[in-house]
Amino acid sequence: MSKTPAPLAEMIGSYVPDFVDAPLATLGASVRVDEQGEQPVVVVKLGFPAQRYGGELVDALRGLCGERAAGARFEVDWQVASHAVQHNLKPLPGIKNIVAVASGKGGVGKSTTAVNLALALALEGGRVGVLDADIYGPSQPRLLGLAGQHPDSPDGKTLEPLVAHGVQVMSIGFLIDEEQPMVWRGPMVTSALNQLLTQTNWQDLDYLIVDMPPGTGDIQLTLSQSVPVSGAVIVTTPQDLALLDARKGLKMFEKVNVNVLGVIENMATHICSACGHEEPIFGAGGGQRMADQYQVPLLGSLPLDMRIREEADGGTPTVVAAPDSELARAYQHIALGLAARLAAGSKDYSRLFPKISIEES
């Protein structure tokens, strides 16, 4: 006895993209099949931006559906929702989702990874901002070619974010000299960062990528408790020493009920610029072991490649300097994975309810 074929929409919803181990139906996607006209129309609406990925998805879905979708027109659309944050906090105006990029340890390429992920999401059609939360060592002005520039303040109270490569940016580095040391104590740093976050006129962002300061001390814990974060990713190298601190960063987010979207293994292999030989000089498999230990996904691995460093130092990170390169593809893969996993989470509905105030008459 032959089985009845699954409806076309159900078949499409079961498709598992290569950047995430879950079907579209569980990633905030919806599928509508209109067969009323002469040409069937299949509309796939995703919960994450897919301006570049959309064409690839259509090709994959045509292959999956085969003759059942012969002659059909596929359309890919998306709508990024605001997702749930820590229980005692609410999303900030103008920002749907805040994603923290943390490492626990400095020197693992967190800032370069954060900016390339932000740019990858922007190339997919997302409205993206970057907040440089490393008050002591701001990197984003240099990485985005904005060093020496200063934000406007039309009203003397709020700041207009600078824009680079289509991404809105704010950093303490815009307000001080590049070589000026920040000799501030923890409460001053926390206060300054809260001001940068809440007094910047962010314009209708789908994602604000926060380049967190390294470490898991009082500043990082305070930020994790006071900033409404929809999700966090941990950047580490495969080296055991880096993994020790990365684990502390992950546990910190767990303690404050922030959804850890996954682990990114940076500098996983070294690619020789002369001969192209690839070697795991920092060890192998550390990121995967950490992901398995804490039951979170390994979002991807990135190589230690001179081009990434050169392009970042030049103010045009890899994703925009060479958008069709294999390196840029790796960042795109990770960015789509984190956005898809965020889309699979609980949505925030607080914006839909009116504010109620009670006044004595």
Side-chain angles (χ1 to χ4, degrees), residues 230-299:
S230 301
V233 296
I234 307 296
V235 180
T236 184
T237 66
Q239 189 178 10
D240 289 343
L241 194 60
L243 288 165
L244 284 173
D245 288 334
R247 289 186 175 95
K248 295 175 184 177
L250 189 149
K251 294 296 290 184
M252 178 188 71
F253 285 117
E254 286 186 343
K255 284 182 179 295
V256 294
N257 297 314
V258 170
N259 179 26
V260 178
L261 301 171
V263 173
I264 300 172
E265 187 180 57
N266 197 29
M267 307 182 195
T269 59
H270 171 254
I271 301 175
C272 178
S273 59
C275 66
H277 175 67
E278 192 168 349
E279 185 177 11
I281 60 175
F282 290 119
Q288 185 65 66
R289 290 193 298 273
M290 177 180 168
D292 292 342
Q293 178 182 355
Y294 292 100
Q295 298 182 328
V296 297
L298 177 66
L299 293 171

Side-chain angles (χ1 to χ4, degrees), residues 26 40 53 79 94 123 175 178 190 213 215 274 280 316 331 333-334:
T26 67
Y53 171 67
Q79 183 175 3
L123 286 179
L175 306 176
E178 191 174 33
T190 303
T316 309
Y331 284 115
H333 187 277
I334 295 172

Side-chain angles (χ1 to χ4, degrees), residues 218-241:
D218 179 65
I219 296 172
Q220 291 80 4
L221 182 60
T222 301
L223 294 175
S224 301
Q225 292 175 321
S226 61
V227 175
V229 179
S230 301
V233 296
I234 307 296
V235 180
T236 184
T237 66
Q239 189 178 10
D240 289 343
L241 194 60

Side-chain angles (χ1 to χ4, degrees), residues 37-83:
E38 296 181 0
Q39 181 186 36
V41 179
V42 179
V43 180
V44 182
K45 191 168 187 177
L46 304 173
F48 54 91
Q51 187 164 288
R52 301 188 74 201
Y53 171 67
E56 180 182 331
L57 176 60
V58 167
D59 291 340
L61 294 179
R62 285 192 182 279
L64 174 70
C65 298
E67 293 183 359
R68 296 190 61 188
R73 186 176 83 250
F74 280 78
E75 297 178 2
V76 176
D77 194 9
W78 62 86
Q79 183 175 3
V80 179
S82 182
H83 291 275

